Amino acid sequence: MSLRANLTLLLICAAMPAQVTEKPLNNTDIANMLKAGLPEGTVVLAIQRAVAHGNNDFDASTQGLLELKNAGATEPVLNFVLSAPRVERYEPSTTVPGLPVWHGLYSQSTAGWSALDPVVLFPDVENRWKTNWKTLGALEHARENRRYVVPGRQARVHVAGPRPALYLRGQRPGRGWLVVRLTPQTDHRELIATIPDVFSREPRMRFASGAPVGLDPAITADDVVTLRPTADLTPGEYLVFKFVSDQSWLIEGYAFEVGTT
């Protein structure tokens, strides 16, 4: 199966509620993915994502590896489990009353806490080249268009207000998150990004739906960061996102909708 198909399967898995997907990935999860017939590349990518987030709890003992082997794990899968760093377990803070303990991004309303839909997005890419005819074989300009697709026409979680407070829970909550508007289509939402010149010294990415809005981070606890948009969000579909480290094509994020009230 192709890399794109593998990543599509991972995206579907990542789009499940955070209470399921954001708990530490362990040997049982890997065995279940293998028994369900997920491709090797998808399983490896899931392991890599968990390790990158410090969200793994693997048993790399001889017995643990043998059980994975019996479940259908290939050599690359076993090697990734064996080489994954041990994650120091931590007790989730209780600074924010009622905040769910699983890693993820949450909003609060009078009805309680809601987990925003987590996604990992791989783009369809179109490149347009302009040749420099003065230098044989040289390229003067290259324009890259990326199309990221978020499943479903509407987010599951609706938040109120133009500058909602979002709570990022994790053992080491990251920074550098932005929020950008998504464009609804018949059965999905999409994000169109363009790099006008990929060969420029500092390539810049532009989004068809408008410039991303910054998120002002405030450390609420050792494992919680509160994020607030630095500008008002009008009603519509949005994505809190950042690019995956060392894989600049991949976007990880959380989808939500800003309501009219």
Side-chain angles (χ1 to χ4, degrees):
M1 186 174 292
S2 68
L3 174 62
R4 184 176 300 279
N6 291 350
L7 290 169
T8 299
L9 284 172
L10 178 60
L11 185 152
I12 293 171
C13 294
M16 297 168 62
Q19 284 88 342
V20 176
T21 61
E22 295 302 314
K23 70 180 181 65
L25 190 73
N26 57 31
N27 290 39
T28 300
D29 297 322
I30 296 173
N32 288 339
M33 287 190 285
L34 294 169
K35 292 174 183 177
L38 267 65
E40 174 189 279
T42 302
V43 177
V44 167
L45 193 58
I47 294 172
Q48 290 176 313
R49 181 173 183 267
V51 170
H53 284 74
N55 199 29
N56 57 281
D57 187 18
F58 301 138
D59 176 8
S61 67
T62 301
Q63 184 61 33
L65 294 175
L66 287 174
E67 290 175 355
L68 283 177
K69 176 65 176 177
N70 293 335
T74 59
E75 181 179 352
V77 171
L78 294 172
N79 288 344
F80 272 106
V81 170
L82 187 60
S83 62
R86 293 186 62 84
V87 177
E88 182 180 349
R89 298 293 86 177
Y90 78 106
E91 290 294 329
S93 67
T94 57
T95 304
V96 182
L99 181 65
V101 299
W102 303 119
H103 293 194
L105 188 64
Y106 299 89
S107 67
Q108 187 180 30
S109 67
T110 55
W113 290 96
S114 297
L116 276 62
D117 300 328
V119 294
V120 176
L121 306 176
F122 184 79
D124 293 314
V125 179
E126 177 189 31
N127 291 307
R128 297 182 179 180
W129 312 93
K130 181 180 178 181
T131 302
N132 183 349
W133 297 107
K134 296 179 181 179
T135 305
L136 185 62
L139 294 172
E140 178 181 285
H141 179 83
R143 178 187 180 92
E144 181 176 287
N145 297 321
R146 300 183 185 180
R147 175 175 173 265
Y148 295 92
V149 174
V150 181
R153 190 178 187 279
Q154 192 173 41
R156 183 176 51 86
V157 175
H158 306 256
V159 301
R163 299 195 186 192
L166 303 173
Y167 297 82
L168 181 64
R169 163 87 80 178
Q171 187 171 356
R172 295 180 297 274
R175 299 204 177 195
W177 295 89
L178 299 169
V179 60
V180 67
R181 193 181 186 98
L182 296 173
T183 303
Q185 302 297 329
T186 303
D187 59 355
H188 65 274
R189 292 149 287 163
E190 65 183 25
L191 179 64
I192 305 298
T194 300
I195 302 176
D197 185 3
V198 297
F199 293 143
S200 67
R201 182 167 298 178
E202 295 183 0
R204 296 182 179 275
M205 181 173 290
R206 300 173 182 172
F207 295 93
S209 57
V213 174
L215 290 167
D216 187 21
I219 298 176
T220 309
D222 289 342
D223 59 345
V224 179
V225 171
T226 303
L227 303 173
R228 286 185 182 272
T230 57
D232 289 353
L233 304 180
T234 57
E237 298 290 325
Y238 288 89
L239 180 73
V240 172
F241 78 98
K242 68 178 180 179
F243 291 96
V244 175
S245 300
D246 300 324
Q247 299 186 55
S248 61
W249 292 53
L250 286 176
I251 280 180
E252 61 175 316
Y254 300 87
F256 67 101
E257 180 184 12
V258 174
T260 54
T261 57

